[in-house]
Amino acid sequence: HGALLTDLADLKRNIGRLEAVDLGGNPMAEARVQAQLRQLKATQEVETQWKLTAEAELEDDNLLLLMFEYYNIMAYWLLRITNPPPEGLPLSFDVPMTFKTLPDYLVDDLVEFILFAARNRGMFLRTYTARELENLVTFLVTFAGSPAYIPNPYIRGKMVEILAYLNPTSNRDPRIRSELMSLFEGHPFLIKHLVCRGV
């Protein structure tokens, strides 16, 4: 969804530039610009339809909950293939080949979805207990501090942003605040590594 918004903004900017071009009455140049404008506007129409479709899907709570379950399982799987030590961190500096060969978009998709859900749709916080959020939060803490595994600083920054959204003090709902406090204050891994990392 974020990529579509970026593409649409770029298309709008390019269409505006072409429409503002002064061609000085040159019929050949005008024909070429008009052809480019038609092509850009057709692309804009298709991408707008994709954007509206994505937005409609992102309003479906049942679909979002299924996606959240999928990404929660994926977070658990990604943690397992890194073969973390019993104490959790630090991960080995030798990144396992299984993890190294994964495409970057797997982690980026996971983080983008959770960030979207945390920013816009707090339903997963209302639906899941602290126990059910453990895998996700452990994943975030583990990889936010592991640049050898997630070399992209923007993805790691998004992980920290999600942790900020999950901060119990940032939530007004008493039940959600209670669940998050029990997670952050009762999970030994989080106590040890969030404090030592200063997140």
Side-chain angles (χ1 to χ4, degrees), residues 48-58:
T48 299
Q49 291 172 4
W50 277 105
K51 175 185 152 289
L52 294 173
T53 301
E55 287 174 352
E57 290 172 349
L58 292 173

Side-chain angles (χ1 to χ4, degrees), residues 92-112:
S92 166
F93 288 110
D94 296 325
V95 180
M97 189 54 72
T98 309
F99 193 88
K100 227 187 262 191
T101 57
L102 292 174
D104 288 344
Y105 72 82
L106 283 180
V107 174
D108 192 29
D109 281 355
L110 185 157
V111 171
E112 280 290 332

